[in-house]
Amino acid sequence: LHSPAETYGLGVEWGEQAGPGWVFGLIGELGAGKTQLVKGLAEGLGFTGRVHSPTFALVNEYRQGRLPLFHVDLYRLETPEAIQRAGLEEYLFSPAGVTAVEWFEHLAGLVPAPQGGNDSGPIPRGRLRRVLLETLSETERRLSYEDIGA
Ligand SMILES: Nc1ncnc2c1ncn2[C@@H]1O[C@H](COP(=O)(O)OP(=O)(O)OP(=O)(O)O)[C@@H](O)[C@H]1O
Ligand SMILES: [Mg+2]
């Protein structure tokens, strides 16, 4: 992905394709483009409002689109136990819409190797698209993903 616009555009495509129960698990360092991708997802689902990282609220709900989009940020919740205590499971496993999760690796409590290694993380009952964003330069990102589950 050579620009923020390209990352956004891929998000739009995915948002147009997404069905109920889909979870996008986003893994990538600060500034990798996770929120940028979610902005595209929201647009692809038909949401026209403002999209920003829910760092303080834990989850933002964007509801005016074709399906609700739940935007979760696990930056401050570093263990699966903390995530459970925060009551986020309904968003992470078979959501009643589409969920995008920033800092998805916190769910497994493991930082996976760049190629994915042996850790595919927990598997939700719906479809999980596990997305890795790597920063190559100021404007370039390498995105890889795998689909897990139904
Ligand atoms: N190819 C690219 N794709 C996405 N973002 C890019 C790209 N090139 C440059 N950028 C810039 O990188 C930044 C990505 O910010 P963004 O908030 O999406 O990252 P993030 O992964 O959500 O970070 P955080 O961990 O802080 O939430 C933006 O300023 C964006 O303009
Ligand atoms: Mg972000």
Side-chain angles (χ1 to χ4, degrees):
L1 300 163
H2 300 92
S3 67
E6 262 189 46
T7 301
Y8 185 93
L10 181 65
V12 173
E13 243 176 71
W14 285 1
E16 287 168 354
Q17 294 161 0
W22 281 36
V23 175
F24 292 88
L26 310 182
I27 299 170
E29 62 193 32
L30 287 166
K34 302 180 293 296
T35 301
Q36 183 70 10
L37 192 66
V38 177
K39 287 179 178 176
L41 279 175
E43 152 113 33
L45 283 161
F47 179 78
T48 54
R50 212 167 79 85
V51 171
H52 56 91
S53 226
T55 304
F56 296 100
L58 298 179
V59 55
N60 286 343
E61 304 191 3
Y62 312 123
R63 290 195 170 272
Q64 294 92 326
R66 178 171 61 84
L67 291 167
L69 174 62
F70 307 110
H71 185 184
V72 177
D73 194 317
L74 300 178
Y75 183 64
R76 283 154 199 277
L77 297 177
E78 293 188 7
T79 65
E81 292 71 32
I83 292 162
Q84 205 169 15
R85 272 200 305 275
L88 290 173
E89 280 172 312
E90 64 170 301
Y91 299 106
L92 301 173
F93 303 97
S94 281
V98 175
T99 295
V101 188
E102 299 196 34
W103 297 95
F104 184 70
E105 63 267 43
H106 286 184
L107 198 47
L110 298 164
V111 179
Q115 257 89 42
N118 293 322
D119 162 47
S120 49
I123 300 177
R125 284 188 299 277
R127 180 182 301 196
L128 168 64
R129 180 162 293 173
R130 189 167 165 282
V131 183
L132 207 56
L133 275 159
E134 296 168 88
T135 301
L136 302 183
S137 73
E138 206 175 310
T139 56
E140 291 174 304
R141 303 292 185 267
R142 178 190 290 128
L143 182 149
S144 51
Y145 72 92
E146 60 179 333
D147 286 341
I148 300 163

